[in-house]
Amino acid sequence: MAGKSPLKTSEEQKQELKALAASRDRGEADRARAVLLTLGGWTSRRIAEAFAVREDTVRLWRSDFMRGGTAALKASLAPGPVAAKTAAAIRVITPLLEAPVANRPNWTIPRLIAEIKAREGVEIGRSQLSKALREKNSAGADRATR
């Protein structure tokens, strides 16, 4: 069905779209520009050709905007799996590394990996453990500054 889109916006929404059209994220900017072009009378086919996407994609962007405004056009990260190994590592290493230095053994990465496996049954790699240690340290730094 060809024709003019029933899309209507307030002046405030147009300003938000113009701001989003200047985004550094190309996807966000393209979606906002497509909605602005729709408001300017462009058809889905013409917008699709301009952005090298399918007409259905343009209709999807327009539909997203009609349902959720400019927030729906913004880039978002898809939720990933829970970092179970990192969480297990932090549960184990936190009490180990917070013990007084005089009373604790010298914890090396290989020894921490073995301790995590013994206590949690989780095998974690060196790089992932290093990442968990950085995460633990940054969380501790946040608490110290509060």
Side-chain angles (χ1 to χ4, degrees):
M1 177 176 124
K4 187 166 164 69
S5 169
L7 182 66
K8 302 283 186 236
T9 61
S10 67
E11 192 55 41
E12 180 182 340
Q13 285 178 312
K14 281 184 188 177
Q15 295 307 314
E16 290 174 2
L17 284 167
K18 287 177 184 177
L20 191 59
S23 171
R24 286 184 157 187
D25 183 291
R26 182 175 176 194
E28 286 181 354
D30 284 354
R31 291 186 289 273
R33 288 182 194 121
V35 172
L36 287 168
L37 290 171
T38 298
L39 294 170
W42 285 41
T43 63
S44 295
R45 173 176 286 168
R46 190 169 169 202
I47 295 169
E49 288 171 0
F51 289 103
V53 296
R54 294 173 27 157
E55 287 181 57
D56 289 344
T57 302
V58 175
R59 290 186 198 104
L60 177 67
W61 293 345
R62 192 179 306 133
S63 175
D64 288 346
F65 175 75
M66 287 192 286
R67 269 195 316 274
T70 54
L73 301 178
K74 292 185 178 178
S76 61
L77 295 176
V82 176
K85 289 183 178 183
T86 300
I90 290 174
R91 278 194 304 272
V92 172
I93 63 178
T94 299
L96 295 176
L97 299 179
E98 288 179 351
V101 175
N103 300 334
R104 74 174 192 211
N106 186 16
W107 288 105
T108 63
I109 297 287
R111 287 185 71 196
L112 286 170
I113 289 172
E115 193 68 21
I116 292 165
K117 183 168 183 180
R119 291 189 186 192
E120 293 279 335
V122 173
E123 291 192 31
I124 189 168
R126 294 175 71 93
S127 63
Q128 193 169 5
L129 178 56
S130 293
K131 180 180 162 190
L133 286 164
R134 284 191 303 275
E135 190 174 300
K136 179 195 169 311
N137 286 340
S138 68
D142 289 345
R143 280 192 297 262
T145 57
R146 283 188 220 154

